[in-house]
């Protein structure tokens, strides 16, 4: 089976948006066809076809497509007929989503945003949800490039069998008794603490046997993967590694970062190292391949089909700074910046005693280009090490930004930072990743099993990009590409380019709109289109916008059409407008298209799309929709987009 057939066309990592935009449309509904005929007649002045002059003006002035005639083709007997115009409108050239621009992968690693997953093994909530190997396969095949593995000591088989005997409902009841003690000392403002109802246990699809899954001896206990101090189910660390090897480079050949949270004891860490080297083999970036300290990070282009391990770093113990080689070399480090910690202080001034753990040298040395350090503050010595990675929770990072915004941004221009959902998001809701991307954070870890705004924006950011997106100018560490012998370009001195945006969306008609989940009667479907513009908010930078500025209440940019009927609605040219929106960074701003069902009470979501503004094309376009589970559909919306910058 070829690679393309294995890619999962489920949203989150950019696969369905890019694939749908590259496919031709084979049929057109009556409302869509009627509007296209009206558009053609308007362009041609009511004549039988478009003249070459009219066609060129249409492509240049309306579609902003330059002088390309690839879509419309050569005129037939001097004029372009309606049938030829339809071929253009049903081709990939007519998509609202532009293809990725030149994918420059030559900058150092920290100059990119990376599609990232949080607690990848979970398929449900954070407290008693199921852990599964398929969670890793799913996100990697959807385009994720940074996954998380929480590793604990293995149990005896009898312990595993006893744990598996509990139902999810029993797990929830037991855990609820512990919640008051867990949450009493934590700030829960703005965090989701509502527990979802337990779902019925799903049966995991049978997996084909793999030789590397059966190499364990019956006498050896191997590490397991689970969400610690919860009642989530465990899975085998070896099986996770095998799943990563099988799925890592199907959707993309760009490097995968494995973020390890190590809670295993010393002996089990030795087993971890053995398993990773054995299963990942030459895919693994190993310390044996890089004996000298790294002064400049390599580029993604240099690490294609490679797995990078992010693990806590501990320094060598001897004066020469080399591994003494005593088996096993034991080194102490602090474990508090991983996503299992819930939240952490942004300062060590409180003098709180940190939880200690131990890591063997062999495991620590696998962190070659991504060495994890405990974060205290941005002035600590480790903050200038080229290979360091700080992991900070969403709430701690926002507090840090409030106090040290310029220092934080300057750090993230040059070095790695990772943020993750607060520990009290128990139902696996997501943060808004665009807020953190605008602060320069490269790895914004999301719960890929949850369909919300966070995952929609992630789809918009990484559509067709292979999981790595070059930061805009002003957000990078260098102005140029890597030079000879790994020498970086000149230091970045370019300011961030802010623009004022005027955006107008004219909605004409929809086609094959999927019904909301659970609905089966198109006659009872009353869809409307809602557009939401995601740009930097005033409070993010502390700037004051002019009055109104295209904003609604609470600095929201939202507008909707009137409600219509059926799965092929006619929106009659309803106009949604966002006028004079200030301080917009085009590559870090997004437009969400959402189709909702107008009902009594909450309007159910039926379908959606999300497009980054630098890839939103002007002119008459089709917006390709995915359903509420993020799956590719045949649903489209015919719109006209007018995007202007000042």
């Amino acid at each position: 089976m070829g690679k393309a057939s294995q890619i999962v066309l489920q949203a989150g990592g950019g696969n369905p948006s890019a694939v749908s935009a590259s496919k031709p449309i084979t049929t057109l509904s009556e409302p869509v066809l009627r509007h296209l005929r009206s558009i053609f007649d308007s362009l041609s002045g009511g004549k039988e076809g478009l003249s070459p002059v009219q066609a060129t003006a249409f492509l240049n002035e309306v579609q902003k497509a330059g002088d390309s005639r690839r879509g419309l083709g050569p005129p037939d007997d001097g004029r372009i007929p309606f049938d030829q115009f339809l071929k253009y409108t049903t081709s990939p050239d007519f998509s609202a989503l532009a293809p990725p621009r030149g994918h420059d992968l030559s900058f150092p690693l920290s100059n990119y945003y990376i599609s990232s997953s949080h607690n990848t093994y979970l398929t449900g909530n954070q407290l008693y949800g199921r852990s599964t190997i398929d969670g890793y396969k799913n996100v990697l095949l959807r385009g994720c490039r940074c996954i998380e593995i929480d590793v604990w000591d293995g149990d005896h088989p009898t312990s595993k069998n006893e744990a598996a005997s509990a139902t999810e409902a029993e797990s929830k009841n037991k855990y609820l008794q512990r919640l008051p003690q867990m949450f009493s000392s934590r700030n829960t403002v703005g965090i989701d603490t509502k527990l979802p109802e337990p779902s019925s246990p799903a049966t995991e699809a049978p997996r084909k046997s793999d030789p590397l899954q059966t190499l364990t001896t019956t006498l050896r206990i191997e590490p397991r993967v689970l969400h610690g101090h919860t009642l989530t189910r465990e899975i085998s660390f070896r099986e996770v590694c095998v799943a990563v090897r099988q799925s890592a480079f199907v959707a993309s050949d760009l490097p995968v970062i494995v973020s390890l949270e190590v809670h295993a004891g010393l002996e089990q860490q030795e087993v971890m190292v053995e398993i990773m080297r054995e299963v990942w083999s030459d895919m693994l970036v190993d310390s044996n391949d890089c004996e000298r300290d790294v002064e400049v990070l390599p580029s993604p282009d240099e690490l294609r089909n490679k797995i990078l391990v992010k693990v806590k770093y501990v320094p060598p113990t001897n004066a020469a700074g080399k591994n003494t080689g005593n088996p096993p070399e034991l080194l102490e480090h602090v474990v508090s910046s991983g996503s299992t910690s819930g939240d952490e202080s942004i300062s060590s001034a409180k003098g709180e005693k940190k939880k200690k753990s131990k890591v063997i040298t062999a495991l620590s040395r696998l962190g070659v280009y991504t060495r994890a350090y405990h974060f205290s503050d941005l002035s600590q010595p480790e903050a200038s090490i080229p290979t360091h990675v700080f992991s900070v929770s969403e709430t701690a990072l926002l507090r840090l930004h409030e106090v040290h915004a310029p220092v934080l941004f300057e750090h993230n221009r040059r070095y790695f930072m990772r943020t993750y959902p607060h520990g009290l998001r128990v139902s696996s809701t997501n943060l808004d990743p665009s807020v953190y991307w605008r602060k320069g954070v490269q790895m914004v870890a999301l719960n890929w099993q949850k369909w919300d705004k966070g995952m929609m924006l992630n789809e918009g950011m990484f559509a067709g990009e292979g999981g790595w997106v070059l930061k805009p100018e002003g957000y990078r560490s260098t102005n140029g590409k890597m030079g000879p012998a790994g020498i970086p370009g000149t230091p970045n001195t370019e300011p961030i380019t802010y623009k004022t945006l005027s955006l107008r969306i004219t909605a004409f008609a929809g086609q094959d709109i999927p019904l909301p989940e659970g609905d089966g009667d198109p006659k009872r479907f009353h869809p409307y289109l809602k557009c939401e513009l995601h740009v930097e908010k005033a409070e993010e930078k502390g700037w004051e916008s002019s009055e109104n500025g295209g904003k609604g209440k609470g600095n929201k940019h939202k507008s909707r059409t009137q409600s219509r009927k059926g799965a092929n609605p006619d929106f009659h040219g309803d106009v949604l407008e966002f006028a004079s929106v200030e301080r917009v960074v085009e590559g870090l701003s997004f437009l969400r298209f959402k189709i909702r069902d107008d009902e009594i009470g909450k309007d159910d979501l039926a379908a959606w799309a999300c497009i980054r503004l630098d890839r939103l094309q002007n002119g008459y376009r089709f917006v390709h929709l995915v359903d509420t589970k993020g799956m590719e559909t045949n649903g489209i919306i015919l719109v006209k987009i007018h995007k202007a910058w000042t």
Side-chain angles (χ1 to χ4, degrees):
M1 183 180 292
K3 282 189 176 183
S5 62
Q6 299 179 44
I7 293 173
V8 175
L9 294 181
Q10 187 177 27
N15 288 344
S17 296
V19 171
S20 295
S22 66
K23 289 182 178 179
I25 296 169
T26 56
T27 60
L28 293 173
S29 67
E30 189 277 330
V32 168
L33 189 59
R34 179 164 25 89
H35 278 288
L36 287 174
R37 181 78 225 193
S38 177
I39 292 167
F40 179 80
D41 290 344
S42 175
L43 294 171
S44 65
K47 297 184 178 180
E48 287 301 317
L50 292 175
S51 69
V53 173
Q54 289 171 328
T56 300
F58 167 65
L59 291 172
N60 289 346
E61 299 171 16
V62 179
Q63 302 298 89
K64 308 294 184 183
D67 58 359
S68 170
R69 296 290 295 276
R70 179 183 61 178
L72 284 174
D76 182 11
D77 295 330
R79 302 190 77 87
I80 295 174
F82 182 58
D83 286 349
Q84 199 166 327
F85 177 75
L86 284 184
K87 289 181 181 179
Y88 165 65
T89 63
T90 55
S91 73
D93 291 333
F94 202 68
S95 172
L97 175 66
R101 296 176 181 175
H103 206 185
D104 190 342
L105 296 168
S106 64
F107 284 73
L109 294 172
S110 59
N111 286 267
Y112 295 82
Y113 298 113
I114 306 166
S115 185
S116 304
S117 164
H118 171 249
N119 287 352
T120 312
Y121 44 86
L122 291 180
T123 59
N125 68 78
Q126 303 291 307
L127 300 183
Y128 51 85
R130 247 176 116 246
S131 301
T132 171
I133 303 297
D134 287 342
Y136 289 94
K137 294 181 180 180
N138 177 270
V139 302
L140 289 169
L141 294 176
R142 287 159 63 190
C144 182
R145 297 289 89 188
C146 179
I147 60 175
E148 183 176 16
I149 308 179
D150 287 9
V151 191
W152 298 75
D153 284 339
D155 274 347
H156 290 284
T158 53
S159 300
K160 293 181 182 180
N161 292 336
E162 290 172 1
S165 65
T167 66
E168 289 193 15
E170 291 171 345
S171 298
K172 176 183 177 181
N173 291 334
K174 291 178 182 178
Y175 209 91
L176 284 173
Q177 298 174 10
R178 297 165 53 189
L179 288 181
Q181 290 77 22
M182 295 176 61
F183 293 165
S184 60
S185 62
R186 297 185 178 184
N187 179 11
T188 61
V189 175
I191 303 298
D192 172 27
T193 56
K194 181 180 179 180
L195 289 174
E197 290 300 318
S199 57
S200 58
T203 302
E204 191 170 341
R207 298 185 296 272
K208 294 182 179 180
S209 61
D210 189 291
L212 293 176
Q213 287 178 296
T214 59
L215 290 179
T216 58
T217 65
T218 56
L219 299 178
R220 185 172 72 168
I221 298 172
E222 292 195 341
R224 55 188 177 140
V225 176
L226 73 153
H227 196 191
H229 309 299
T230 69
L231 292 174
T232 55
R233 308 297 176 82
E234 66 184 60
I235 51 180
S236 159
F237 177 71
R238 177 182 289 273
E239 291 185 2
V240 169
C241 291
V242 171
V244 171
R245 188 201 66 194
Q246 293 172 339
S247 307
F249 304 111
V250 176
S252 170
D253 66 353
L254 297 182
V256 168
I257 298 174
V258 175
S259 180
L260 290 179
E261 289 298 326
V262 182
H263 307 275
L266 306 178
E267 292 183 1
Q268 293 280 277
Q269 289 177 39
E270 292 184 79
V271 178
M272 287 174 60
V273 174
E274 178 185 324
I275 290 173
M276 286 187 285
R277 283 182 167 149
E278 174 188 310
V279 174
W280 294 338
S281 186
D282 58 353
M283 291 182 179
L284 177 66
V285 175
D286 202 324
S287 56
N288 297 331
D289 303 325
C290 185
E291 291 298 329
R292 297 187 302 173
D293 285 339
V294 177
E295 296 183 2
V296 178
L297 291 175
S299 69
D301 193 43
E302 296 174 280
L303 295 174
R304 291 181 184 271
N305 297 299
K306 290 294 185 180
I307 296 173
L308 286 67
V309 173
K310 182 182 83 67
V311 65
K312 294 291 181 180
Y313 177 73
V314 287
T317 55
N318 66 352
K322 297 181 179 180
N323 185 355
T324 59
N326 296 326
E329 181 71 31
L330 306 183
L331 298 167
E332 284 195 340
H333 78 289
V334 177
V335 177
S336 63
S337 62
S339 61
T340 55
S341 62
D343 199 356
E344 71 287 303
S345 170
I346 62 172
S347 173
S348 59
K350 294 181 180 180
E352 296 177 355
K353 185 177 180 180
K354 302 295 182 181
K355 180 181 177 181
K356 296 286 184 177
S357 181
K358 292 184 177 181
V359 163
I360 62 172
T361 299
L363 178 56
S364 176
R365 282 170 56 83
L366 290 183
V368 178
Y369 302 122
T370 47
R371 296 175 175 177
Y373 292 85
H374 168 64
F375 177 71
S376 295
D377 58 66
L378 292 168
S379 63
Q380 66 190 82
E382 296 88 351
S384 60
I385 297 174
T387 55
H388 83 270
V389 183
F390 288 145
S391 288
V392 185
S393 80
E394 56 170 310
T395 49
L397 196 144
L398 291 180
R399 292 198 301 269
L400 181 64
H401 178 264
E402 289 176 1
V403 181
H404 301 295
V407 180
L408 174 65
F409 183 79
E410 188 59 34
H411 170 275
N412 294 344
R413 277 180 26 170
R414 302 179 60 190
Y415 307 113
F416 272 130
M417 183 167 281
R418 174 180 175 270
T419 193
Y420 52 87
H422 190 283
L424 296 184
R425 289 185 180 270
V426 294
S427 64
S428 299
T429 57
N430 282 306
L431 49 87
D432 180 343
S434 65
V435 171
Y436 300 87
W437 291 328
R438 287 190 285 270
K439 293 170 177 50
V441 177
Q442 295 87 349
M443 291 172 272
V444 182
L446 300 175
N447 294 306
W448 284 52
Q449 70 272 34
K450 192 74 173 183
W451 293 106
D452 55 14
K453 177 175 68 176
M455 284 306 295
M456 293 180 187
L457 292 172
N458 210 65
E459 174 74 12
M461 170 62 93
F462 294 102
E465 300 274 11
W468 290 71
V469 171
L470 182 65
K471 291 182 174 183
E473 291 185 6
Y475 288 78
R476 308 171 195 163
S477 63
T478 67
N479 285 330
K481 303 178 181 180
M482 298 290 288
I487 300 173
T490 57
N492 185 12
T493 57
E494 293 294 326
I496 298 172
T497 301
Y498 292 105
K499 301 177 182 178
T500 297
L501 168 69
S502 291
L503 179 65
R504 184 171 64 252
I505 308 294
T506 305
F508 294 105
Q511 173 178 306
D512 295 331
I513 307 296
L515 302 183
E517 187 176 7
D519 290 359
D521 186 0
K523 294 180 180 179
R524 302 181 63 182
F525 183 37
H526 296 86
Y528 62 86
L529 170 64
K530 183 176 184 179
C531 286
E532 296 186 11
L533 186 62
H534 296 267
V535 297
E536 184 177 58
K537 299 175 183 177
E539 56 266 29
E540 287 186 50
K541 284 285 186 180
W543 56 276
E544 295 297 332
S545 62
S546 60
E547 187 176 357
N548 295 328
K551 301 175 180 58
K553 183 179 179 181
N555 199 36
K556 301 292 184 182
H557 303 271
K558 301 179 181 180
S559 187
R560 54 161 286 183
T561 67
Q562 295 184 41
S563 301
R564 305 300 179 181
K565 290 184 179 181
N568 299 303
D570 189 334
F571 293 115
H572 298 285
D574 285 354
V575 176
L576 314 179
E577 191 156 10
F578 306 92
S580 301
V581 184
E582 299 174 328
R583 288 182 61 90
V584 177
V585 178
E586 193 175 9
L588 294 176
S589 303
F590 304 84
L591 181 64
R592 275 199 297 164
F593 299 83
K594 297 194 293 184
I595 298 289
R596 289 191 175 275
D597 187 9
D598 195 349
E599 302 176 291
I600 298 174
K602 184 179 180 181
D603 295 344
D604 288 338
L605 181 68
W608 60 273
C610 184
I611 301 178
R612 207 171 67 210
L613 288 190
D614 63 336
R615 295 181 61 188
L616 181 69
Q617 301 208 85
N618 267 295
Y620 295 98
R621 302 290 176 181
F622 278 130
V623 177
H624 294 263
L625 302 171
V626 296
D627 64 19
T628 56
K629 297 296 183 183
M631 301 304 294
E632 181 188 23
T633 75
N634 292 323
I636 54 175
I637 313 169
L638 175 62
V639 299
K640 184 180 182 183
I641 299 166
H642 177 76
K643 180 180 66 170
W645 300 99
T646 56

